[in-house]
Amino acid sequence: MSQHNIIGSEAFTRGPSVIIRKYKAGGMRRRRSKTIATFIAGAGAMLVVGLITAAAVYGPTMAGG
């Protein structure tokens, strides 16, 4: 009698089994935080550009010029 340790649908898969040897834990978390940081930096840059533009447009009027 042979002893096999087959669980669930493993017995019916056609492809070879794949073993992941190297997996970096937290890779997706790092990618998501990097995307969020880039978005915040871009939003901050747009805010600064908007403030500079507003100061250039409305500055002379506000100064009484």
Side-chain angles (χ1 to χ4, degrees), residues 28-53:
M28 198 63 190
R29 190 179 333 124
R30 277 192 296 272
R31 184 177 298 156
R32 186 179 303 133
S33 65
K34 189 175 181 181
T35 303
I36 291 171
T38 303
F39 177 78
I40 291 172
M46 287 285 108
L47 182 65
V48 169
V49 168
L51 289 174
I52 291 173
T53 304

Side-chain angles (χ1 to χ4, degrees), residues 54-65:
V57 170
Y58 296 114
T61 307
M62 294 276 216

Side-chain angles (χ1 to χ4, degrees), residues 2-50:
S2 63
Q3 293 180 351
H4 295 287
N5 214 3
I6 299 174
I7 300 170
S9 62
E10 289 180 26
F12 305 106
T13 58
R14 293 182 178 261
S17 62
V18 177
I19 299 173
I20 299 173
R21 295 191 184 272
K22 289 185 179 180
Y23 177 73
K24 290 184 177 180
M28 198 63 190
R29 190 179 333 124
R30 277 192 296 272
R31 184 177 298 156
R32 186 179 303 133
S33 65
K34 189 175 181 181
T35 303
I36 291 171
T38 303
F39 177 78
I40 291 172
M46 287 285 108
L47 182 65
V48 169
V49 168

